[in-house]
Amino acid sequence: MNPVRVAIAVARKDLKSEWRTRELVPALAQFVVLALLIGNFGFQVDTHNASAIAPGILWLALVFAGLVAFGRTFAAEREQASLEAMLMTPASPVAIFAGKAMAATVLLVLCEVVLLPALTLFFGTPLGGDVVAAVLLATVGMAALGVLFAAIVARVRARELLLPLLTLPLWIPFIVAGGQAVQSAMGLPGSYQEAMGLLLDFDILFVVLTSLAARFVLDE
Amino acid sequence: MSRHERWAAGAVALMLVAGAAIFLYAPTDYLQGPVQRIFYLHVSSAIAAYGCFTVVLIGGLVYLRRESLVADRFARAGAVVGVVFTTVTLVMGMLWAKPIWGTYWTWDARLTSTLVLWMIYTGYLLVRRLADPGRQAARIAAVVGIFGFVDVPVVHFSVTWWRTQHPGPVVVNDALPPEMLATFLLTMACTLALAAVLIAIRYRIETLSDERMHVAEEVKVITAAPEPRMAP
């Protein structure tokens, strides 16, 4: 079986089931808008400090939306024990993992489609290609790590507790570099090019590492 | 005295020797005063923590390859001891930073990456507690240990890119006077010995608890109630 076709088939299955139920994306969209609301009341935001506060709120909202999204990636499989069925087919576990990760990335990107314009609307910060590129680059690596650890905790009792505990420390490199990139894109000091270069390096490193580890996580 | 008790006594004696060297032999720092004496154990326990997490990494890799129970027990032991040494490093560093930097905490590269290190391996210990013991916990923990080990240099590197105020490596730069260097090397050797003894003791505890679990399962099988007879 061609692993690329398996991955695409798994991703299509996940996206189709999301399209039919329309559960996760509307919930995530509402979640990020609520996070912006809380950010607005938690800080005294005005036109002078908005560009200093907005990047922080952007990453907080995105990280927690990501945790919710990745926590759900294996929920359906677990409820119907369909992961075991998928693993019994000749498809390689790495291809199945890649498909799940691709679908989760698309869902998180859909959530960003709501988050980024809402941030611009409520905080008046610029929404340019540089901000979008930084967020998208960080999403790739975060999704790879998030889905790997979602798969890891899927069979553990306290999975809701463990997923943030394991994933957040590993996401910190993406928050450091992505935070820097968005800050400089919004007019704060710091080099945008260097931050984007680092983000790209982290993406490559963690996508390779997670694909190597996927075999041990899914293959039971 | 059992073998482990003898080792423990030896490690305590070594740490007392290190303490004597730190407080009686090493000269007082001209600029920082007595606070500088924190340096010896602070850096030594950081190195010991890295050593312990290397044991976790190697244990995890060997476990994934061979499913070896011995490797998994070493990984478990290394994680507990490593978290202890990381905690010592963090607390002593904060005690040093307050008089010297004027604050307990700053988001410097080395502080941030050490905190992340601590978070990752306390998470590792939580995984071990929450996952069903046996193959599942061992596999999950092995993956967490490997990713944690990779993540720390990455965090360190990414934060160094923008900000750092932690003192650089004074030992390799030949900046220490000979008495201080001797004290440091002695403290490091004693701390590494302590770490090794702690891992050995923890390994024994993990072996015993594995055996107890095994026995408990056998007892459950033996004493399981016979199937109730169907009424005629």
Side-chain angles (χ1 to χ4, degrees):
Chain A
M1 268 190 179
N2 182 350
V4 177
R5 282 180 53 195
V6 172
I8 290 172
V10 172
R12 262 186 58 191
K13 169 197 83 79
D14 272 14
L15 292 175
K16 194 181 276 178
S17 102
E18 170 59 26
W19 175 250
R20 288 195 180 146
T21 55
R22 297 192 195 90
E23 284 175 351
L24 193 57
V25 172
L28 285 179
Q30 192 145 354
F31 178 85
V32 294
V33 174
L34 282 170
L36 294 184
L37 206 68
I38 291 168
N40 182 53
F41 289 113
F43 294 99
Q44 286 200 353
V45 184
D46 55 43
T47 45
H48 299 292
N49 63 15
S51 64
I53 291 171
I57 294 176
L58 164 68
W59 288 104
L60 273 177
L62 190 58
V63 159
F64 286 103
L67 284 178
V68 175
F70 299 136
R72 294 289 302 168
T73 40
F74 286 93
E77 317 287 3
R78 197 175 49 243
E79 281 154 18
Q80 289 149 22
S82 51
L83 188 61
E84 283 75 7
M86 273 203 280
L87 288 171
M88 267 183 233
T89 64
S92 87
V94 180
I96 295 174
F97 170 78
K100 303 288 292 181
M102 271 153 48
T105 312
V106 171
L107 295 182
L108 198 60
V109 168
L110 287 177
C111 156
E112 285 158 5
V113 168
V114 177
L115 172 63
L116 290 177
L119 191 78
T120 303
L121 179 67
F122 291 143
F123 290 80
T125 48
L127 175 58
D130 42 4
V131 177
V132 175
V135 170
L136 285 180
L137 261 188
T139 307
V140 174
M142 284 166 66
L145 277 171
V147 173
L148 181 80
F149 281 88
I152 284 182
V153 301
R155 271 167 289 202
V156 180
R157 273 179 292 131
R159 58 189 89 81
E160 303 83 1
L161 279 178
L162 269 183
L163 185 63
L165 274 180
L166 295 177
T167 316
L168 284 178
L170 293 171
W171 275 354
I172 288 193
F174 294 98
I175 312 298
V176 175
Q180 179 63 47
V182 171
Q183 283 164 24
S184 49
M186 289 188 180
L188 296 169
S191 164
Y192 180 77
Q193 262 79 27
E194 276 179 6
M196 292 297 276
L198 268 185
L199 268 181
L200 196 62
D201 292 346
F202 296 159
D203 276 344
I204 294 169
L205 173 70
F206 282 107
V207 167
V208 170
L209 268 182
T210 47
S211 349
L212 287 176
R215 187 162 70 84
F216 297 104
V217 172
L218 286 180
D219 186 25
E220 273 288 295
Chain B
M1 259 182 63
S2 76
R3 195 170 41 153
H4 289 89
E5 280 168 345
R6 276 201 304 280
W7 290 348
V12 170
L14 281 177
M15 289 315 286
L16 287 175
V17 170
I22 290 170
F23 287 103
L24 304 175
Y25 171 69
T28 306
D29 189 82
Y30 174 68
L31 279 174
Q32 302 185 1
V35 186
Q36 184 268 341
R37 291 178 203 275
I38 281 180
F39 154 82
Y40 302 109
L41 190 57
H42 170 72
V43 178
S44 300
S45 53
I47 293 171
Y50 287 136
C52 293
F53 296 141
T54 313
V55 171
V56 179
L57 172 77
I58 294 172
L61 287 172
V62 172
Y63 182 82
L64 287 184
R65 201 146 262 270
R66 309 218 179 117
E67 302 246 322
S68 135
L69 205 52
V70 173
D72 181 52
R73 283 187 203 138
F74 265 116
R76 277 184 260 169
V80 177
V81 178
V83 166
V84 171
F85 277 107
T86 314
T87 311
V88 170
T89 306
L90 279 173
V91 171
M92 294 190 80
M94 285 195 265
L95 292 178
W96 176 87
K98 181 63 184 168
I100 303 298
W101 289 342
T103 171
Y104 285 113
W105 191 262
T106 163
W107 292 103
D108 157 87
R110 211 161 296 198
L111 277 71
T112 310
S113 54
T114 310
L115 183 65
V116 172
L117 183 78
W118 190 85
M119 295 287 205
I120 287 174
Y121 286 96
T122 45
Y124 178 95
L125 295 180
L126 273 172
V127 171
R128 298 235 80 135
R129 173 171 306 179
L130 294 171
D132 295 327
R135 283 185 69 224
Q136 189 199 39
R139 262 185 176 223
I140 295 177
V143 174
V144 175
I146 294 165
F147 271 81
F149 200 86
V150 173
D151 198 54
V152 170
V154 171
V155 172
H156 185 77
F157 178 70
S158 59
V159 191
T160 314
W161 204 280
W162 285 286
R163 42 192 163 180
T164 194
Q165 66 177 32
H166 190 284
V170 284
V171 181
V172 284
N173 292 348
D174 213 14
L176 282 183
E179 293 90 354
M180 284 187 175
L181 183 63
T183 309
F184 169 68
L185 291 177
L186 177 72
T187 312
M188 191 173 80
C190 295
T191 313
L192 288 177
L194 175 69
V197 168
L198 287 176
I199 288 183
I201 294 175
R202 192 70 216 180
Y203 181 85
R204 178 77 186 135
I205 295 175
E206 299 294 347
T207 312
L208 291 175
S209 79
D210 279 359
E211 279 170 9
R212 195 199 59 180
M213 208 173 69
H214 193 65
V215 170
E217 269 167 20
E218 278 183 358
V219 169
K220 215 186 283 174
V221 172
I222 294 168
T223 60
E227 302 234 334
R229 286 254 185 89
M230 293 281 277

